[in-house]
Amino acid sequence: MNLFFQQLVNGVALGGVYALIAIGFTLIFGVLRLLNMAHGEIYMLGAYLAYLFLTILDLPPFVAVPLALIAIFAISLLVERFAFRPLRNAPHFVPLVSTIAVSTILLEVVRLAFGPYMFGFDSFISTTFVRVGTISIGSSQLMMLLLSVVLTVALQIFLMCSQWGKAIRAVSEDVTVSGLLGINVNRVVGVTFAIGSTLGAVAGILVAMHFGAIYPNMGFVALVKAFTAAILGGMGSVPGAVIGGLMLGIVESLGAAYLPSGFSDAVPYVALFAVLLLRPSGLFKRAGGSDDPSHQGNPHTTGGLLDRILPQRGAQSLAAGVDIAKLIAVAGVVAALAIAPFLGDYALRILITIVVYAMMALGTNVILGLAGQLSLSHAAFFAIGAYSSALLTTHYGLDAWSAMAVGAMLAAAAGALISLVTFRVRGYYLALVTLAFAELVRIIIGHWNSFTGGMMGVRAIPAPRIGPWVIDSPLSFFYLSAVIGVIGLAVYDAIAYSVKGRALIALRDDEVAASASGLGVQRLKIVAFTLSAVFPAIGGSLMAHYYSAITPDLAAMNETVTVLVIAVIGGLGSAAGALFGSVIVNLLPELFRNLGDYRVLAYGVILFVTVLYQPGGVFSISRRLAWRA
Amino acid sequence: MLKIEGLVTYYGRVRALAGVSLQVARDEIVTLIGSNGAGKSTTLMTISGVLKPTEGSIAFEGRPIAGLAPHEVARLGVVQVPEGRHILRGLTVAENLDLGGFVRSAEKRRTSLARVYELLPRLAERRDQLGGTLSGGEQQMLAIGRALMAQPRLLILDEPSLGLAPRIIEQIFELIRNLNKAGTTILLVEQNAAMALEIADRGYVLETGYIVAEGSAAMLRQNDSVRRAYLGL
């Protein structure tokens, strides 16, 4: 019982901080209708800047902490101005991709500047404990609780009573009308974004003090928690975020005490699924209210007046310009097949990697390019394919082909399952739920030591055979993957131009109209999710056999980001685009070998520049020209 | 007071306005009529700065305003009540009104608020109710009241009769006439051409992005093609 109350106290303190992160997140969602995937990195950056000023520059806390917060405020104003404002009327996945790009860039900058290691973060308040009965409360916990209460109350008063607060509420309801009323919408959005970010940074500093450590990846976990808390309380509601944060903190602390170690990390993800499944509009929202996520996720209803007037930009058709692309792709494949025998092992490895990632990008093309569903589980399907191949061939003596087939089927089943679970969520919600699913898969794979080998992964995966031949040389493996890749591209192309493919595009362009035209929306979504899972699973299987050793990192977030980069750069929806994107992303780092550690940063920048200036992918340049002619 | 010349506005690749010219003089009621998709709302949104014209000029009291941001246009005294009212549903009636005078001092807001409540007593009764709970007619009153809070010199109304009962429409038009008499210049877009031409001094007829007829309201009422196309006579 004592343990219970101690964990309850810990949970409340932790929950206060989660509430702070969630408030910032929900506030930004309110004015921008945007799930800010960079919120976690802002939180992380806050802690790092505090570390920089406190420990490295050795400034006193009352200078260092405000300085860090002012810096975050300024940085977020810049981020909003240059990364989000130009995209405010773009189709809904574009700004989201932009936040992913910003998140990657911030993460990599910190990783490069400070190193990927964990740093000790010295608390600047004395560590003492207050004892109440048998329960002890640390000074950092007290501070967490106090600050979160004070900041929340202050924010709520600001929102409800001040003229600025009213303006923020007006902008979050209707951007166009706010402008007509004389509100400087850009300034309100910018400042709100900066306030939300700064609250996140405060939370980052508090958590750093409490746990005494900072590391570059701390942001992602915070993001998932913020999202979960915000969803729990109802997206867009500040009091809801507070209650959601507290609940999450308490459940998590109790989970840490009573669940086997490692699996308590899964608690927020499980909570997220549970809420989205049972009460997608949050625990405290009236059902069918205006904040119903099925409306908020829909790009057609979020921007108010403007969205009705402005046609969706960048909703490119499949037809124009693709033929040239297809010709180049075919020529490229033929050339690669012809010169392969003369290439060294290293070059062949790059070619095989290109095929694997092109397969993954095809999955993205099906689900996002055709069906318009922003699902970010590719890394999970990739890992399911790879682990099925690895485990079935090493432990159960299956041959590589059966294992690949089983892996593809398992991934397809997982895809169908996700589609059923997430049927009611769209747009941004879908993005985070599916991302959380990938994290969940990674946690399970990483902790289920007896079955998956845990963090050590699986080794000695046998090479595939065709009859008497063992495909174990890089050259033969390249030919094998090229054949599979070409089949994949052809299958995708066939799907895209089939009746089903057109139905998926209808689903992308207007779900309501699609269902009114007699298309079974739920069935279509299941088809899309299932298909989109098969491509990465086969890619994962290839990867497992080629490298003969795999680790749970296959399911990591950056794999998903890489694939998204490939699909977006190549031009969403186009088969040839998946190949080009994969070539660009895998070759660029090779061409700039001396980039070394800056590779991932370069991804982030490329992704950012692409969504900002060429949201239709590199090949939309020719398509634009075609339109003008 | 308002002078628009050769206005061209695109939505993406679609040309919605193909060179619209019109003028509104002080103390006038000018109406812009036309069918769905003629470009009426586009014209208004371009005046208000929500859409940017690719060609042409807009001058308000001699000052060019094309290309200004919506809030800058509003601050000059050109205030629009958009189609569909766009009440802030989660804010109370009083808060909605208060935001209408966003850029003005607290004291001026108070004076204007008293005047709006006097003009529209229903809003005073409902001041603490959420905007979303009002009836359609009350919401239209609120939208107009909110615009009045900014003390507009030019009030732009987009389809104020949309979706309202005939009795309420009469009240709205009565209100528009009274506002005009009290010194507010009005640019009115209406589907209900008959009523619009009844209260307007002058009118313009917009078709697929072009002005196809203009003149005094009395003249337009007599115009054969206007009668056929818009008055159903």
Side-chain angles (χ1 to χ4, degrees):
Chain A
M1 219 47 209
N2 193 16
L3 177 68
F4 178 82
F5 283 111
Q6 179 67 57
Q7 287 303 96
L8 198 63
V9 169
N10 294 345
V12 169
L14 205 57
V17 179
Y18 291 167
L20 273 188
I21 316 173
I23 290 169
F25 187 71
T26 221
L27 211 55
I28 291 168
F29 177 84
V31 290
L32 278 169
R33 294 291 133 163
L34 175 68
L35 289 185
N36 177 21
M37 307 287 268
H39 196 59
E41 270 60 50
I42 292 281
Y43 155 98
M44 176 271 296
L45 193 60
Y48 267 88
L49 287 177
Y51 174 79
L52 172 71
F53 294 135
L54 275 172
T55 310
I56 300 180
L57 301 180
D58 207 17
L59 297 170
F62 61 88
V63 181
V65 173
L67 213 56
L69 295 180
I70 290 168
I72 287 290
F73 196 90
I75 289 170
S76 27
L77 281 179
L78 290 176
V79 167
E80 192 279 328
R81 174 68 189 81
F82 292 105
F84 303 146
R85 188 178 301 175
L87 298 173
R88 213 174 289 156
N89 295 314
H92 66 304
F93 72 87
V94 174
L96 191 74
V97 174
S98 177
T99 71
I100 294 175
V102 169
S103 145
T104 309
I105 292 171
L106 291 178
L107 178 63
E108 287 307 311
V109 166
V110 168
R111 221 201 290 263
L112 292 169
F114 293 89
Y117 326 105
M118 198 177 258
F119 283 108
F121 188 99
D122 297 325
S123 179
F124 47 83
I125 54 168
S126 59
T127 330
T128 50
F129 288 90
V130 184
R131 287 198 169 278
V132 183
T134 51
I135 297 162
S136 68
I137 306 167
S139 52
S140 66
Q141 282 177 315
L142 267 182
M143 187 154 152
M144 276 154 75
L145 200 57
L146 234 119
L147 258 180
S148 43
V149 169
V150 169
L151 287 175
T152 311
V153 170
L155 179 72
Q156 195 63 7
I157 292 173
F158 171 73
L159 283 178
M160 296 317 282
C161 302
S162 75
Q163 200 67 359
W164 258 94
K166 276 180 221 159
I168 290 175
R169 281 152 63 209
V171 169
S172 71
E173 269 200 42
D174 195 324
V175 170
T176 311
V177 154
S178 300
L180 294 178
L181 291 175
I183 296 170
N184 186 340
V185 172
N186 283 336
R187 192 184 303 163
V188 169
V189 169
V191 169
T192 312
F193 186 84
I195 292 175
S197 295
T198 309
L199 288 175
V202 172
I205 297 171
L206 286 172
V207 168
M209 274 171 54
H210 181 61
F211 290 111
I214 53 174
Y215 53 100
N217 283 325
M218 63 194 273
F220 183 70
V221 188
L223 173 71
V224 172
K225 283 170 185 170
F227 181 67
T228 310
I231 287 281
L232 269 169
M235 209 57 210
S237 148
V238 171
V242 174
I243 296 170
L246 286 174
M247 285 174 61
L248 187 62
I250 293 168
V251 169
E252 209 180 280
S253 291
L254 294 177
Y258 296 107
L259 284 177
S261 94
F263 284 97
S264 62
D265 293 345
V267 167
Y269 305 101
V270 174
L272 182 63
F273 283 127
V275 174
L276 282 166
L277 207 55
L278 302 173
R279 292 227 38 168
S281 53
L283 295 174
F284 310 103
K285 277 280 162 82
R286 284 167 284 117
S290 62
D291 286 331
D292 190 320
S294 62
H295 290 298
Q296 286 183 335
N298 183 347
H300 299 288
T301 59
T302 48
L305 206 52
L306 253 191
D307 270 351
R308 279 195 306 132
I309 295 178
L310 290 172
Q312 298 281 309
R313 187 152 60 94
Q316 66 278 7
S317 84
L318 279 167
V322 167
D323 285 340
I324 316 156
K326 213 183 268 176
L327 277 177
I328 301 174
V330 171
V333 171
V334 171
L337 290 173
I339 60 166
F342 309 104
L343 293 175
D345 288 0
Y346 186 77
L348 286 169
R349 188 166 91 198
I350 295 170
L351 287 180
I352 293 167
T353 314
I354 288 174
V355 174
V356 167
Y357 277 92
M359 287 297 279
M360 282 176 76
L362 286 179
T364 309
N365 269 346
V366 171
I367 196 72
L368 181 57
L370 293 182
Q373 309 292 309
L374 187 48
S375 159
L376 299 177
S377 303
H378 323 297
F381 302 135
F382 187 56
I384 289 173
Y387 267 87
S388 301
S389 279
L391 294 172
L392 289 173
T393 51
T394 53
H395 292 1
Y396 298 91
L398 242 65
D399 67 285
W401 308 111
S402 321
M404 185 184 275
V406 173
M409 282 189 279
L410 284 177
L417 185 73
I418 292 184
S419 151
L420 287 173
V421 170
T422 60
F423 176 58
R424 290 203 283 176
V425 298
R426 287 189 242 173
Y428 316 122
Y429 285 76
L430 186 63
L432 256 171
V433 176
T434 50
L435 200 55
F437 172 77
E439 267 307 281
L440 200 57
V441 167
R442 195 178 66 87
I443 289 172
I444 292 171
I445 292 177
H447 287 96
W448 197 353
N449 297 340
S450 57
F451 184 57
T452 63
M455 290 301 179
M456 300 300 293
V458 185
R459 283 145 199 263
I461 305 163
R465 309 166 152 272
I466 300 177
W469 296 292
V470 182
I471 315 288
D472 56 356
S473 77
L475 183 62
S476 56
F477 203 93
F478 167 66
Y479 280 124
L480 172 69
S481 38
V483 168
I484 293 178
V486 167
I487 295 174
L489 291 167
V491 167
Y492 172 80
D493 224 38
I495 295 170
Y497 288 95
S498 70
V499 177
K500 203 105 228 159
R502 265 202 304 282
L504 291 177
I505 294 171
L507 178 70
R508 173 191 78 188
D509 288 348
D510 195 329
E511 198 169 318
V512 177
S515 102
S517 318
L519 298 174
V521 167
Q522 173 146 24
R523 242 192 43 226
L524 273 179
K525 280 189 184 173
I526 295 176
V527 169
F529 273 90
T530 311
L531 283 175
S532 82
V534 170
F535 289 104
I538 291 174
S541 173
L542 276 178
M543 188 84 143
H545 287 297
Y546 177 61
Y547 282 100
S548 85
I550 52 171
T551 64
D553 285 341
L554 287 179
M557 159 114 181
N558 57 1
E559 291 293 341
T560 299
V561 172
T562 309
V563 176
L564 198 61
V565 174
I566 290 172
V568 171
I569 288 180
L572 275 170
S574 134
L579 191 56
F580 291 130
S582 184
V583 169
I584 292 171
V585 164
N586 287 302
L587 271 191
L588 264 192
E590 303 302 329
L591 297 180
F592 303 101
R593 279 295 286 284
N594 45 0
L595 269 180
D597 292 342
Y598 295 87
R599 215 169 49 113
V600 186
L601 180 61
Y603 283 174
V605 173
I606 292 172
L607 183 61
F608 181 66
V609 172
T610 310
V611 292
L612 222 49
Y613 296 105
Q614 204 61 39
V618 280
F619 268 88
S620 62
I621 302 169
S622 58
R623 246 168 284 170
R624 279 189 189 177
L625 291 175
W627 267 102
R628 276 190 197 143
Chain B
M1 183 178 224
L2 181 76
K3 189 169 182 183
I4 297 176
E5 272 175 33
L7 207 60
V8 177
T9 303
Y10 279 83
Y11 286 137
R13 300 186 192 91
V14 180
R15 191 173 63 177
L17 298 185
V20 167
S21 300
L22 61 84
Q23 290 191 33
V24 182
R26 189 177 302 277
D27 296 334
E28 266 190 319
I29 298 183
V30 172
T31 182
L32 190 57
I33 57 181
S35 58
N36 270 335
K40 298 174 309 241
S41 293
T42 307
T43 307
L44 300 191
M45 283 300 176
T46 311
I47 296 172
S48 281
V50 176
L51 300 171
K52 307 285 172 227
T54 47
E55 277 172 50
S57 66
I58 309 171
F60 179 66
E61 300 193 319
R63 200 190 138 162
I65 60 167
L68 292 185
H71 68 272
E72 291 167 324
V73 176
R75 285 171 194 196
L76 289 173
V78 180
V79 180
Q80 184 183 162
V81 180
E83 183 187 345
R85 305 181 271 274
H86 288 266
I87 291 305
L88 300 167
R89 307 175 68 87
L91 274 65
T92 64
V93 168
E95 285 176 332
N96 263 285
L97 290 171
D98 208 30
L99 276 173
F102 184 67
V103 287
R104 305 172 65 220
S105 70
E107 194 189 335
K108 282 191 178 151
R109 281 208 303 274
R110 257 196 305 281
T111 348
S112 292
L113 192 62
R115 189 175 147 241
V116 168
Y117 281 152
E118 194 185 320
L119 213 57
L120 302 162
R122 266 317 259 282
L123 296 183
E125 286 168 31
R126 306 223 181 267
R127 67 181 77 185
D128 293 324
Q129 247 173 272
L130 288 185
T133 65
L134 299 186
S135 73
E138 288 167 344
Q139 288 193 8
Q140 187 62 55
M141 302 275 182
L142 176 55
I144 295 174
R146 188 174 62 183
L148 293 178
M149 288 293 294
Q151 277 210 327
R153 302 229 290 269
L154 173 64
L155 180 64
I156 300 178
L157 297 156
D158 194 356
E159 304 275 5
S161 74
L162 194 75
L164 299 181
R167 198 173 47 85
I168 311 287
I169 296 178
E170 301 236 342
Q171 287 178 20
I172 299 278
F173 274 78
E174 187 60 34
L175 173 67
I176 294 170
R177 214 193 305 253
N178 288 338
L179 287 173
N180 180 246
K181 275 186 195 141
T184 310
T185 311
I186 283 165
L187 175 58
L188 170 68
V189 157
E190 258 299 341
Q191 290 260 352
N192 190 338
M195 286 201 77
L197 288 173
E198 211 163 287
I199 66 164
D201 301 304
R202 291 189 306 114
Y204 293 85
V205 180
L206 198 59
E207 262 174 29
T208 59
Y210 296 92
I211 299 279
V212 293
E214 60 177 282
S216 73
M219 198 191 92
L220 286 175
R221 278 201 299 269
Q222 300 308 318
N223 182 313
D224 276 345
S225 57
V226 172
R227 281 166 67 94
R228 264 199 309 278
Y230 304 104
L231 301 177
L233 297 170

